[in-house]
Amino acid sequence: MKRILIVEDEPEIREMIRFTLEPRGYVVNEADNAQDARRLLGEHAYDLILMDWMLPGRSGLEFTKEIKQKNQKSSPPIIMLTARADESDKVEGLDSGADDYITKPFSPRELAARIKAVIRRSTHIEQELSLEFNGLHIDPVQHLVTLQGDPANLSPAEYNLLYFFMSHPERAYTRSQILDKVWGDNAYVEERTVDVHIRRLRKILTPSGHDAYIQTVRGVGYRFTPTKQKHVQVTS
Amino acid sequence: MKRILIVEDEPEIREMIRFTLEPRGYVVNEADNAQDARRLLGEHAYDLILMDWMLPGRSGLEFTKEIKQKNQKSSPPIIMLTARADESDKVEGLDSGADDYITKPFSPRELAARIKAVIRRSTHIEQELSLEFNGLHIDPVQHLVTLQGDPANLSPAEYNLLYFFMSHPERAYTRSQILDKVWGDNAYVEERTVDVHIRRLRKILTPSGHDAYIQTVRGVGYRFTPTKQKHVQVTS
DNA sequence: TCGACAATCAGAATTCTTTTCATGGTTTCA
DNA sequence: TGAAACCATGAAAAGAATTCTGATTGTCGA
């Protein structure tokens, strides 16, 4: 879920933008002046700001500079909305630190596409490490799990669960904790669901004997403990 | 340390470019006409020239041709800055010997990215390599794909997609990433479009069995994994 | 300008995944 | 030993993502 702030004085344009973005799953907040925008920025962390070039009182340009200078790297990306086709204006707009601009009028599709691109680029991709325990290997770059070298076919949930376990071994977690960590804080599912996925993961790991790594901790939850035991040799 | 020459008559744009490039570690020199530019080119070796399409007196286009013809191979790569969106202009610009062009207005990120790419290309003489995996062969020089020696007929998009995959194997990419890499940063198309081209590509690769190399990574995107040749086992 | 080809989109069909539910088995402890 | 709590499991329902298809639009050369 991404949160977007529109800073734009014309209600019609705000309306149009909201109408475009909300069906696509964005949470949209609106401000028609810099002051309100500043307040909203204090209340939430935004993933993107859509800033009108012209704002009453203070120009969006100035406000963009202010935001970018104040928060340095941590500030959300900004897309400028400009009605002007004037070249130098645009250049100046970009100079202020905006990450992209859109010239009015724009199509909903273009807006959505640009927003997506800007957010994606601004999202920090953290380097995930490839992990391995005795022939059980998980590689986030390939997004691939192999058992003694053989690729295994995991569903997204199974993959995430296994990656969580392998990156947090030797430690018991409650179902609640697992749901928070693997499903995310705001996933509302039954705790029993974890059992089902554990079950499937174990099934997948059984042929290579790695299912023993996923241990039930009665009264608590589960624990991933890679033992140093020898495994079933799969002859080819 | 890379040295860049800007040939551009509008001070604001020069300023904006310098503002973008200097923090990124480039040394930037400026000229607002061809004559000054010629002088500066005599004083230093430049790694890149940013050339305005329109220059007073003499067009940047002409000047580009002049530089390219005079110095032949040793001349630095040139990126044309053009305010026109007109296709034919762009083609002409590239005809003149420019290595890339950027349409104004452009974002700092775009500028930086293109400069980096052009410099890298010119430095490493990164020629496109012919690639092959188990009878699936792609040759950028001939622009030809062969399956077990038989020529295949690919559309441009299919070709680009296949080349991207073959040059980045064993790695999962999201549709977004694929669009960025294959279609380019500012192509705003639906992600589903990738699916369609993947399907076509698979269809073409099916007769030779290479379609198995393009793997769906559910919830993520796609991955190109050239597997080892299968050994059919017949049990009795 | 027409025809051929390519690219894109939108939606239907399909396939796969996730969740929930019901049941039965196992462990714990009084 | 038996009740209560806990866990494992299979299967079905609900939900998502992907694939496929046809229509439409755009592009290029004759």
Side-chain angles (χ1 to χ4, degrees), chain B residues 1-154:
Chain B
M1 186 221 67
K2 302 291 181 187
R3 184 182 289 270
I4 295 178
L5 175 62
I6 308 174
V7 188
E8 162 70 58
D9 58 321
E10 286 180 59
E12 286 168 16
I13 294 181
R14 288 206 306 273
E15 172 65 18
M16 177 270 187
I17 293 173
R18 191 227 293 272
F19 183 81
T20 302
L21 298 182
E22 286 188 337
R24 291 171 205 253
Y26 296 102
V27 175
V28 179
N29 292 164
E30 303 176 17
D32 70 354
N33 61 69
Q35 202 174 347
D36 280 9
R38 226 175 270 113
R39 181 177 50 76
L40 285 166
L41 281 169
E43 291 173 6
H44 291 287
Y46 286 90
D47 298 286
L48 183 85
I49 300 172
L50 288 171
M51 175 86 65
D52 189 22
W53 196 90
M54 292 294 281
L55 279 180
R58 183 169 204 182
S59 83
L61 195 67
E62 290 301 315
F63 189 39
T64 299
K65 281 182 184 164
E66 175 193 319
I67 291 171
K68 284 286 176 181
Q69 279 169 11
K70 205 183 285 174
N71 314 50
Q72 293 288 69
K73 309 232 163 163
S74 65
S75 77
I78 297 175
I79 296 179
M80 297 285 281
L81 306 175
T82 166
R84 303 209 188 176
D86 189 300
E87 277 304 317
S88 60
D89 284 354
K90 284 177 187 171
V91 170
E92 202 188 339
L94 289 168
D95 252 6
S96 71
D99 297 83
D100 200 356
Y101 64 86
I102 304 184
T103 304
K104 298 180 205 169
F106 44 83
S107 70
R109 190 182 40 70
E110 183 184 1
L111 180 66
R114 292 209 188 216
I115 285 175
K116 207 166 153 190
V118 167
I119 287 182
R120 171 163 37 77
R121 274 203 295 271
S122 75
T123 330
H124 290 275
I125 312 170
E126 183 186 324
Q127 63 178 354
E128 294 196 306
L129 293 171
S130 182
L131 303 169
E132 202 249 334
F133 296 103
N134 295 323
L136 170 59
H137 190 274
I138 188 165
D139 182 345
V141 176
Q142 293 189 65
H143 206 271
L144 182 69
V145 175
T146 55
L147 309 168
Q148 315 294 359
D150 301 323
N153 195 14
L154 304 210

Side-chain angles (χ1 to χ4, degrees), chain B residues 175 192 195-196 199 202 216-219 222:
Chain B
R175 290 172 178 74
R192 292 280 137 260
D195 300 20
V196 175
R199 169 171 166 275
R202 279 176 172 160
T216 301
V217 184
R218 209 153 225 275
Y222 299 94

Side-chain angles (χ1 to χ4, degrees), chain A residues 4-6 8 10-31 50 81 106 108 111 115:
Chain A
I4 294 178
L5 176 61
I6 308 174
E8 161 70 61
E10 288 180 58
E12 287 166 15
I13 294 181
R14 289 206 306 272
E15 175 64 19
M16 177 270 191
I17 293 173
R18 191 227 290 271
F19 185 79
T20 302
L21 299 182
E22 284 188 339
R24 293 172 203 252
Y26 295 102
V27 175
V28 179
N29 292 166
E30 302 175 16
L50 287 172
L81 306 175
F106 46 84
L111 180 67
I115 284 175

Side-chain angles (χ1 to χ4, degrees), chain A residues 175 199 202-203 216-220 222:
Chain A
R175 290 173 179 72
R199 152 92 184 116
R202 280 175 171 161
K203 209 172 204 170
T216 303
V217 184
R218 209 185 160 76
V220 180
Y222 299 93

